PDB file of all heavy atoms in Angstrom:
ATOM      1  N   GLN A 210     -20.703  25.398  32.589  1.00 97.00           N
ATOM      2  CA  GLN A 210     -20.956  26.563  31.676  1.00 97.00           C
ATOM      3  C   GLN A 210     -22.109  27.388  32.174  1.00 97.00           C
ATOM      4  O   GLN A 210     -22.111  28.625  32.081  1.00 97.00           O
ATOM      5  CB  GLN A 210     -21.309  25.958  30.268  1.00 97.00           C
ATOM      6  CG  GLN A 210     -20.056  25.360  29.536  1.00 97.00           C
ATOM      7  CD  GLN A 210     -19.746  23.941  29.964  1.00 97.00           C
ATOM      8  OE1 GLN A 210     -20.491  23.305  30.639  1.00 97.00           O
ATOM      9  NE2 GLN A 210     -18.555  23.573  29.596  1.00 97.00           N
ATOM     10  N   ILE A 211     -23.193  26.691  32.720  1.00 98.00           N
ATOM     11  CA  ILE A 211     -24.295  27.454  33.212  1.00 98.00           C
ATOM     12  C   ILE A 211     -23.904  28.392  34.294  1.00 98.00           C
ATOM     13  O   ILE A 211     -24.274  29.576  34.423  1.00 98.00           O
ATOM     14  CB  ILE A 211     -25.409  26.485  33.709  1.00 98.00           C
ATOM     15  CG1 ILE A 211     -26.017  25.677  32.550  1.00 98.00           C
ATOM     16  CG2 ILE A 211     -26.520  27.192  34.475  1.00 98.00           C
ATOM     17  CD1 ILE A 211     -26.916  24.526  32.966  1.00 98.00           C
ATOM     18  N   LEU A 212     -23.042  27.866  35.257  1.00 98.00           N
ATOM     19  CA  LEU A 212     -22.549  28.692  36.377  1.00 98.00           C
ATOM     20  C   LEU A 212     -21.754  29.871  35.897  1.00 98.00           C
ATOM     21  O   LEU A 212     -21.963  31.038  36.269  1.00 98.00           O
ATOM     22  CB  LEU A 212     -21.700  27.818  37.320  1.00 98.00           C
ATOM     23  CG  LEU A 212     -22.555  26.811  38.151  1.00 98.00           C
ATOM     24  CD1 LEU A 212     -21.666  25.667  38.657  1.00 98.00           C
ATOM     25  CD2 LEU A 212     -23.276  27.505  39.299  1.00 98.00           C
ATOM     26  N   ASP A 213     -20.734  29.617  35.004  1.00 98.00           N
ATOM     27  CA  ASP A 213     -19.982  30.696  34.440  1.00 98.00           C
ATOM     28  C   ASP A 213     -20.887  31.803  33.864  1.00 98.00           C
ATOM     29  O   ASP A 213     -20.656  32.969  34.160  1.00 98.00           O
ATOM     30  CB  ASP A 213     -19.087  30.171  33.315  1.00 98.00           C
ATOM     31  CG  ASP A 213     -17.758  29.516  33.771  1.00 98.00           C
ATOM     32  OD1 ASP A 213     -17.484  29.602  35.000  1.00 98.00           O
ATOM     33  OD2 ASP A 213     -17.110  28.891  32.871  1.00 98.00           O
ATOM     34  N   ASN A 214     -21.847  31.401  33.068  1.00 98.00           N
ATOM     35  CA  ASN A 214     -22.737  32.314  32.390  1.00 98.00           C
ATOM     36  C   ASN A 214     -23.689  33.081  33.316  1.00 98.00           C
ATOM     37  O   ASN A 214     -23.833  34.292  33.196  1.00 98.00           O
ATOM     38  CB  ASN A 214     -23.504  31.592  31.232  1.00 98.00           C
ATOM     39  CG  ASN A 214     -22.511  31.184  30.135  1.00 98.00           C
ATOM     40  OD1 ASN A 214     -21.572  31.896  29.754  1.00 98.00           O
ATOM     41  ND2 ASN A 214     -22.745  30.047  29.582  1.00 98.00           N
ATOM     42  N   LEU A 215     -24.346  32.356  34.249  1.00 98.00           N
ATOM     43  CA  LEU A 215     -25.252  32.990  35.156  1.00 98.00           C
ATOM     44  C   LEU A 215     -24.527  33.967  36.076  1.00 98.00           C
ATOM     45  O   LEU A 215     -25.026  35.058  36.332  1.00 98.00           O
ATOM     46  CB  LEU A 215     -26.000  31.965  36.045  1.00 98.00           C
ATOM     47  CG  LEU A 215     -27.125  31.089  35.337  1.00 98.00           C
ATOM     48  CD1 LEU A 215     -27.692  30.093  36.314  1.00 98.00           C
ATOM     49  CD2 LEU A 215     -28.178  31.975  34.729  1.00 98.00           C
ATOM     50  N   ILE A 216     -23.314  33.601  36.517  1.00 98.00           N
ATOM     51  CA  ILE A 216     -22.504  34.463  37.406  1.00 98.00           C
ATOM     52  C   ILE A 216     -22.100  35.673  36.655  1.00 98.00           C
ATOM     53  O   ILE A 216     -22.207  36.822  37.123  1.00 98.00           O
ATOM     54  CB  ILE A 216     -21.302  33.694  38.013  1.00 98.00           C
ATOM     55  CG1 ILE A 216     -21.810  32.636  39.016  1.00 98.00           C
ATOM     56  CG2 ILE A 216     -20.337  34.701  38.669  1.00 98.00           C
ATOM     57  CD1 ILE A 216     -20.693  31.685  39.443  1.00 98.00           C
ATOM     58  N   ALA A 217     -21.636  35.521  35.401  1.00 98.00           N
ATOM     59  CA  ALA A 217     -21.199  36.650  34.580  1.00 98.00           C
ATOM     60  C   ALA A 217     -22.342  37.639  34.295  1.00 98.00           C
ATOM     61  O   ALA A 217     -22.173  38.811  34.183  1.00 98.00           O
ATOM     62  CB  ALA A 217     -20.614  36.166  33.225  1.00 98.00           C
ATOM     63  N   GLN A 218     -23.585  37.080  34.126  1.00 98.00           N
ATOM     64  CA  GLN A 218     -24.727  37.897  33.902  1.00 98.00           C
ATOM     65  C   GLN A 218     -25.258  38.543  35.164  1.00 98.00           C
ATOM     66  O   GLN A 218     -26.299  39.243  35.169  1.00 98.00           O
ATOM     67  CB  GLN A 218     -25.901  37.103  33.287  1.00 98.00           C
ATOM     68  CG  GLN A 218     -25.578  36.601  31.820  1.00 98.00           C
ATOM     69  CD  GLN A 218     -26.504  35.530  31.359  1.00 98.00           C
ATOM     70  OE1 GLN A 218     -27.644  35.393  31.981  1.00 98.00           O
ATOM     71  NE2 GLN A 218     -26.151  34.798  30.337  1.00 98.00           N
ATOM     72  N   GLY A 219     -24.696  38.203  36.289  1.00 98.00           N
ATOM     73  CA  GLY A 219     -25.086  38.822  37.563  1.00 98.00           C
ATOM     74  C   GLY A 219     -26.354  38.126  38.082  1.00 98.00           C
ATOM     75  O   GLY A 219     -26.966  38.605  39.015  1.00 98.00           O
ATOM     76  N   LYS A 220     -26.796  37.041  37.474  1.00 98.00           N
ATOM     77  CA  LYS A 220     -28.003  36.343  37.840  1.00 98.00           C
ATOM     78  C   LYS A 220     -27.779  35.331  39.042  1.00 98.00           C
ATOM     79  O   LYS A 220     -28.769  34.953  39.722  1.00 98.00           O
ATOM     80  CB  LYS A 220     -28.639  35.597  36.645  1.00 98.00           C
ATOM     81  CG  LYS A 220     -29.198  36.555  35.609  1.00 98.00           C
ATOM     82  CD  LYS A 220     -29.764  35.806  34.368  1.00 98.00           C
ATOM     83  CE  LYS A 220     -30.291  36.772  33.383  1.00 98.00           C
ATOM     84  NZ  LYS A 220     -30.512  36.061  32.029  1.00 98.00           N
ATOM     85  N   ALA A 221     -26.554  34.932  39.212  1.00 98.00           N
ATOM     86  CA  ALA A 221     -26.251  34.060  40.306  1.00 98.00           C
ATOM     87  C   ALA A 221     -25.060  34.595  41.053  1.00 98.00           C
ATOM     88  O   ALA A 221     -24.167  35.277  40.530  1.00 98.00           O
ATOM     89  CB  ALA A 221     -25.939  32.664  39.759  1.00 98.00           C
ATOM     90  N   LYS A 222     -25.033  34.364  42.361  1.00 98.00           N
ATOM     91  CA  LYS A 222     -23.922  34.752  43.235  1.00 98.00           C
ATOM     92  C   LYS A 222     -22.667  33.875  42.859  1.00 98.00           C
ATOM     93  O   LYS A 222     -22.869  32.640  42.599  1.00 98.00           O
ATOM     94  CB  LYS A 222     -24.320  34.596  44.704  1.00 98.00           C
ATOM     95  CG  LYS A 222     -25.292  35.578  45.208  1.00 98.00           C
ATOM     96  CD  LYS A 222     -24.541  36.689  45.990  1.00 98.00           C
ATOM     97  CE  LYS A 222     -25.484  37.861  46.365  1.00 98.00           C
ATOM     98  NZ  LYS A 222     -26.342  37.503  47.538  1.00 98.00           N
ATOM     99  N   PRO A 223     -21.507  34.442  42.856  1.00 98.00           N
ATOM    100  CA  PRO A 223     -20.328  33.508  42.814  1.00 98.00           C
ATOM    101  C   PRO A 223     -20.385  32.544  43.879  1.00 98.00           C
ATOM    102  O   PRO A 223     -20.603  32.872  45.095  1.00 98.00           O
ATOM    103  CB  PRO A 223     -19.099  34.524  42.927  1.00 98.00           C
ATOM    104  CG  PRO A 223     -19.681  35.887  42.590  1.00 98.00           C
ATOM    105  CD  PRO A 223     -21.100  35.823  43.058  1.00 98.00           C
ATOM    106  N   MET A 224     -20.199  31.225  43.572  1.00 98.00           N
ATOM    107  CA  MET A 224     -20.246  30.196  44.615  1.00 98.00           C
ATOM    108  C   MET A 224     -19.314  29.077  44.253  1.00 98.00           C
ATOM    109  O   MET A 224     -18.946  28.918  43.117  1.00 98.00           O
ATOM    110  CB  MET A 224     -21.756  29.702  44.734  1.00 98.00           C
ATOM    111  CG  MET A 224     -22.236  29.067  43.431  1.00 98.00           C
ATOM    112  SD  MET A 224     -24.053  28.538  43.588  1.00 98.00           S
ATOM    113  CE  MET A 224     -24.902  30.108  43.229  1.00 98.00           C
ATOM    114  N   ILE A 225     -18.968  28.310  45.284  1.00 98.00           N
ATOM    115  CA  ILE A 225     -18.256  27.085  45.106  1.00 98.00           C
ATOM    116  C   ILE A 225     -19.281  25.997  44.874  1.00 98.00           C
ATOM    117  O   ILE A 225     -20.369  25.976  45.537  1.00 98.00           O
ATOM    118  CB  ILE A 225     -17.399  26.711  46.361  1.00 98.00           C
ATOM    119  CG1 ILE A 225     -16.292  27.786  46.604  1.00 98.00           C
ATOM    120  CG2 ILE A 225     -16.769  25.295  46.280  1.00 98.00           C
ATOM    121  CD1 ILE A 225     -15.585  27.703  47.935  1.00 98.00           C
ATOM    122  N   VAL A 226     -19.062  25.081  43.891  1.00 98.00           N
ATOM    123  CA  VAL A 226     -20.046  24.075  43.622  1.00 98.00           C
ATOM    124  C   VAL A 226     -19.387  22.672  43.661  1.00 98.00           C
ATOM    125  O   VAL A 226     -18.305  22.488  42.922  1.00 98.00           O
ATOM    126  CB  VAL A 226     -20.753  24.246  42.272  1.00 98.00           C
ATOM    127  CG1 VAL A 226     -21.845  23.240  41.975  1.00 98.00           C
ATOM    128  CG2 VAL A 226     -21.367  25.773  42.209  1.00 98.00           C
ATOM    129  N   VAL A 227     -19.944  21.791  44.363  1.00 98.00           N
ATOM    130  CA  VAL A 227     -19.314  20.450  44.586  1.00 98.00           C
ATOM    131  C   VAL A 227     -20.219  19.423  43.991  1.00 98.00           C
ATOM    132  O   VAL A 227     -21.382  19.323  44.323  1.00 98.00           O
ATOM    133  CB  VAL A 227     -19.129  20.200  46.098  1.00 98.00           C
ATOM    134  CG1 VAL A 227     -18.485  18.727  46.285  1.00 98.00           C
ATOM    135  CG2 VAL A 227     -18.254  21.233  46.749  1.00 98.00           C
ATOM    136  N   PHE A 228     -19.675  18.619  43.066  1.00 98.00           N
ATOM    137  CA  PHE A 228     -20.346  17.543  42.392  1.00 98.00           C
ATOM    138  C   PHE A 228     -19.924  16.212  43.004  1.00 98.00           C
ATOM    139  O   PHE A 228     -18.765  15.792  42.780  1.00 98.00           O
ATOM    140  CB  PHE A 228     -20.152  17.574  40.850  1.00 98.00           C
ATOM    141  CG  PHE A 228     -20.497  18.884  40.271  1.00 98.00           C
ATOM    142  CD1 PHE A 228     -19.504  19.899  40.115  1.00 98.00           C
ATOM    143  CD2 PHE A 228     -21.788  19.126  39.780  1.00 98.00           C
ATOM    144  CE1 PHE A 228     -19.837  21.113  39.505  1.00 98.00           C
ATOM    145  CE2 PHE A 228     -22.102  20.355  39.175  1.00 98.00           C
ATOM    146  CZ  PHE A 228     -21.157  21.392  39.090  1.00 98.00           C
ATOM    147  N   THR A 229     -20.753  15.631  43.797  1.00 98.00           N
ATOM    148  CA  THR A 229     -20.409  14.405  44.527  1.00 98.00           C
ATOM    149  C   THR A 229     -20.590  13.161  43.663  1.00 98.00           C
ATOM    150  O   THR A 229     -21.303  13.200  42.625  1.00 98.00           O
ATOM    151  CB  THR A 229     -21.282  14.254  45.762  1.00 98.00           C
ATOM    152  OG1 THR A 229     -22.622  14.305  45.424  1.00 98.00           O
ATOM    153  CG2 THR A 229     -20.973  15.446  46.746  1.00 98.00           C
ATOM    154  N   ASN A 230     -19.981  12.094  44.112  1.00 95.00           N
ATOM    155  CA  ASN A 230     -20.294  10.745  43.509  1.00 95.00           C
ATOM    156  C   ASN A 230     -21.194   9.996  44.554  1.00 95.00           C
ATOM    157  O   ASN A 230     -20.762   9.681  45.616  1.00 95.00           O
ATOM    158  CB  ASN A 230     -19.025   9.979  43.261  1.00 95.00           C
ATOM    159  CG  ASN A 230     -19.301   8.624  42.595  1.00 95.00           C
ATOM    160  OD1 ASN A 230     -20.283   7.916  42.981  1.00 95.00           O
ATOM    161  ND2 ASN A 230     -18.489   8.185  41.664  1.00 95.00           N
ATOM    162  N   GLY A 231     -22.456   9.799  44.183  1.00 94.00           N
ATOM    163  CA  GLY A 231     -23.422   9.255  45.108  1.00 94.00           C
ATOM    164  C   GLY A 231     -23.380   7.731  45.252  1.00 94.00           C
ATOM    165  O   GLY A 231     -24.207   7.185  46.004  1.00 94.00           O
ATOM    166  N   ASN A 232     -22.517   7.089  44.474  1.00 91.00           N
ATOM    167  CA  ASN A 232     -22.393   5.618  44.544  1.00 91.00           C
ATOM    168  C   ASN A 232     -21.288   5.305  45.572  1.00 91.00           C
ATOM    169  O   ASN A 232     -20.125   5.219  45.249  1.00 91.00           O
ATOM    170  CB  ASN A 232     -21.978   5.094  43.205  1.00 91.00           C
ATOM    171  CG  ASN A 232     -22.886   5.651  42.099  1.00 91.00           C
ATOM    172  OD1 ASN A 232     -24.112   5.650  42.161  1.00 91.00           O
ATOM    173  ND2 ASN A 232     -22.217   6.165  41.042  1.00 91.00           N
ATOM    174  N   ILE A 233     -21.704   5.201  46.846  1.00 89.00           N
ATOM    175  CA  ILE A 233     -20.687   5.172  47.955  1.00 89.00           C
ATOM    176  C   ILE A 233     -19.780   3.978  47.826  1.00 89.00           C
ATOM    177  O   ILE A 233     -18.637   3.989  48.370  1.00 89.00           O
ATOM    178  CB  ILE A 233     -21.436   5.230  49.321  1.00 89.00           C
ATOM    179  CG1 ILE A 233     -20.474   5.464  50.476  1.00 89.00           C
ATOM    180  CG2 ILE A 233     -22.267   3.948  49.501  1.00 89.00           C
ATOM    181  CD1 ILE A 233     -20.040   6.905  50.702  1.00 89.00           C
TER     182      ILE A 233
END
Side-chain angles (χ1 to χ4, degrees):
Chain A
Q210 286 81 16
I211 293 170
L212 288 160
D213 280 350
N214 291 321
L215 288 178
I216 291 169
Q218 292 169 16
K220 291 178 181 163
K222 287 260 171 78
M224 60 184 84
I225 296 166
V226 183
V227 179
F228 304 90
T229 56
N230 182 321
N232 314 310
I233 193 80

